[in-house]
Amino acid sequence: MAKKLIFIWLLSLITWTVALPAQAALTVQITKSVASALPIAIPSFGPGIAGQPTVADVVRNDLRHSGLFRVIDPAGYPGDPRSPSGVKAADWTTVGATGLAVGSVEPLNGGYVVNVYVYNVSTGQELVAKRFTCSAAELHMTAHHVADVIYQAFTGKPGPFASRIAYVRQTGENYELLVAESDGWNPHPIVRGIMPVFSPVWSPDNHRLAYTTYANARAVIYVQDLATGRRQSIAPGGEIVSAPAFSPNGEELAYARSSGGHTELYVANLRTGQRRKLTNDDAINTSPTWSADGSRIIFVSDRAGGPQIYEMNASGGGVHRLSYDGNYNAGPVYSPAGNAIAFIHRTAGVYALAVMKPDGSGVRVLDAQGNCDHPSFAGNGQMILYGTQRGGRKVLAEVSLDGKTMAILHSNAGEDSQPAWSH
């Protein structure tokens, strides 16, 4: 079992070039939504940029994508208001709307001003009004911000849409680490090569990605600045390292180092290069993840005979086991609020996505339809992004923390896996 795990972990691994051609965008397919999804109307907001989805298109798709909203077909709308003066709440009850969001997209100095006004139709109350200014290149992301405003107005929680995702795409024998907006729009490669890349993670400020790769036939970790493409190698040359995880302040990186048949956890200071060892035993220890306050680290170890999830102090002491349900539990990650841990749990021969409470209790399987990998929470903690399989192909998926909503993100350009949601 130990040799098999080492083999899997050492596959986590590239050398590359930067700034390459645009890639095929992901398609979002909603496969599960709540029966009580809020019916909402989203008029047009006016035209946008030719050849691109309009602001209204993006907002409608985001809200549908969440599974919490049912967007009413625009063909039946009683009008197309773009400001408060055109809103008569009673008109929208006739199409069954509970919520309404109207707005406008207006050119300004080569860019755009985007306005949004959100209403409770039943009371006629304006819940929120917001104004955004952006460049033409930022218009699609600004539409995600609009969707976040609407999401928060009705749920009371921050929206997950104005964020980015990183993921790995395999096309034939080629691999790419891609970054895209949360709906898969505007994907662009960070690195590309003929060897696999695994375990991408975002820095807390979303300016860097850490990932595991091969260099000179050795597994290495790079921390890459997304603006400049500059890369920093972690650990001295010749070491076999994997499974990076940023500390909450972005100053340190936890990772696994394999040597002499052992795999131990270390933490490296990204500024000074100094490092400290967290574990010291004969087991395989890997997949570290920090708690939001930086005081604890969860990780995977086979010290009990198979991969299970453990927790320890960030200093390396106080190790205790969390997972006891089943003989394979791996890939753990804390939710941003620390109220849940998502992980991969083998059940009925399938590597399923599951969640549990921080103390290891209350295990719930969210997706056992295909082998899953690399769970990652949205910044609001309400959705989990992960890799899975559908129809024999690797795809990305999102599921709500309560398991009531699910969407598949896929592309005809290749197979996608190892996703990470920005903070």
Side-chain angles (χ1 to χ4, degrees):
M1 181 64 170
K3 290 182 178 179
K4 182 178 180 182
L5 285 173
I6 292 174
F7 175 73
I8 292 172
W9 290 330
L10 294 188
L11 279 178
S12 308
L13 318 161
I14 74 185
T15 46
W16 317 99
T17 55
V18 192
L20 297 162
Q23 305 299 301
L26 295 168
T27 298
V28 179
Q29 177 186 2
I30 300 163
T31 60
K32 189 178 182 182
S33 61
V34 296
S36 58
L38 186 145
I40 189 168
I42 311 288
S44 74
F45 279 68
I49 299 173
Q52 295 187 17
T54 66
V55 166
D57 288 335
V58 175
V59 171
R60 291 166 185 161
N61 288 334
D62 279 350
L63 296 180
R64 291 190 192 103
H65 181 184
S66 75
L68 300 179
F69 295 84
R70 177 174 61 84
V71 179
I72 297 170
D73 186 350
Y77 289 178
D80 187 29
R82 298 179 190 175
S83 68
S85 62
V87 173
K88 295 181 180 179
D91 293 346
W92 296 90
T93 61
T94 62
V95 296
T98 298
L100 171 68
V102 305
S104 61
V105 179
E106 302 165 4
L108 178 69
N109 299 327
Y112 293 92
V113 173
V114 181
N115 297 294
V116 58
Y117 310 89
V118 184
Y119 295 89
N120 180 326
V121 170
S122 60
T123 65
Q125 177 188 8
E126 182 182 278
L127 302 178
V128 65
K130 193 92 173 183
R131 176 184 177 92
F132 300 92
T133 59
C134 65
S135 67
E138 296 168 332
L139 185 59
H140 194 276
M141 179 59 84
T142 299
H144 291 311
H145 282 288
V146 171
D148 280 344
V149 168
I150 299 168
Y151 182 100
Q152 185 161 20
F154 288 105
T155 69
K157 299 173 182 177
F161 309 116
S163 57
R164 292 182 292 172
I165 60 174
Y167 56 99
V168 176
R169 173 169 294 167
Q170 180 181 359
T171 307
E173 297 182 353
N174 296 310
Y175 295 83
E176 298 168 298
L177 175 59
L178 300 171
V179 168
E181 295 181 27
S182 65
D183 61 351
W185 178 260
N186 191 29
H188 57 279
I190 303 304
V191 289
R192 172 183 285 171
I194 60 171
M195 293 185 182
V197 56
F198 279 79
S199 305
V201 290
W202 292 87
S203 64
D205 62 6
N206 296 322
H207 293 164
R208 295 167 293 167
L209 279 173
Y211 52 90
T212 308
T213 182
Y214 270 126
N216 300 320
R218 291 278 186 173
V220 300
I221 292 171
Y222 286 114
V223 175
Q224 183 164 328
D225 186 286
L226 297 181
T228 66
R230 187 174 301 162
R231 299 192 301 184
Q232 174 185 1
S233 178
I234 304 302
E239 293 191 355
I240 300 174
V241 294
S242 60
F246 282 98
S247 63
N249 62 11
E251 296 178 0
E252 294 184 311
L253 196 79
Y255 63 95
R257 172 181 179 261
S258 299
S259 177
H262 303 289
T263 303
E264 305 289 2
L265 297 181
Y266 286 77
V267 171
N269 185 295
L270 295 175
R271 182 177 55 84
T272 67
Q274 293 181 334
R275 59 180 179 167
R276 51 191 171 88
K277 193 175 183 180
L278 297 178
T279 59
N280 187 21
D281 55 42
D282 292 334
I284 296 173
N285 303 284
T286 189
S287 302
T289 301
W290 304 71
S291 62
D293 64 3
S295 66
R296 303 179 309 283
I297 291 175
I298 48 176
F299 64 102
V300 176
S301 178
D302 70 348
R303 63 187 64 192
Q308 296 292 344
I309 299 169
Y310 293 77
E311 184 180 56
M312 63 181 167
N313 301 328
S315 61
V319 175
H320 59 280
R321 182 172 168 178
L322 293 180
S323 64
Y324 287 91
D325 189 350
N327 59 10
Y328 183 102
N329 295 289
V333 59
Y334 285 108
S335 66
N339 61 338
I341 295 172
F343 63 103
I344 303 304
H345 169 70
R346 187 165 60 198
T347 176
V350 175
Y351 294 92
L353 175 72
V355 293
M356 62 183 177
K357 295 178 181 178
D359 63 2
S361 65
V363 173
R364 293 184 292 114
V365 173
L366 300 182
D367 184 1
Q369 298 179 60
N371 289 333
C372 300
D373 66 71
H374 212 261
S376 176
F377 276 94
N380 68 356
Q382 300 303 304
M383 299 288 291
I384 302 169
L385 176 68
Y386 59 103
T388 188
Q389 294 175 327
R390 293 292 189 272
R393 297 180 66 245
K394 293 181 179 179
V395 298
L396 306 184
E398 292 173 4
V399 65
S400 59
L401 184 58
D402 60 11
K404 294 181 179 179
T405 69
M406 183 179 293
I408 300 297
L409 294 77
H410 62 90
S411 167
N412 295 326
E415 294 192 304
D416 300 319
S417 64
Q418 297 285 305
W421 217 324
S422 69
H423 302 284

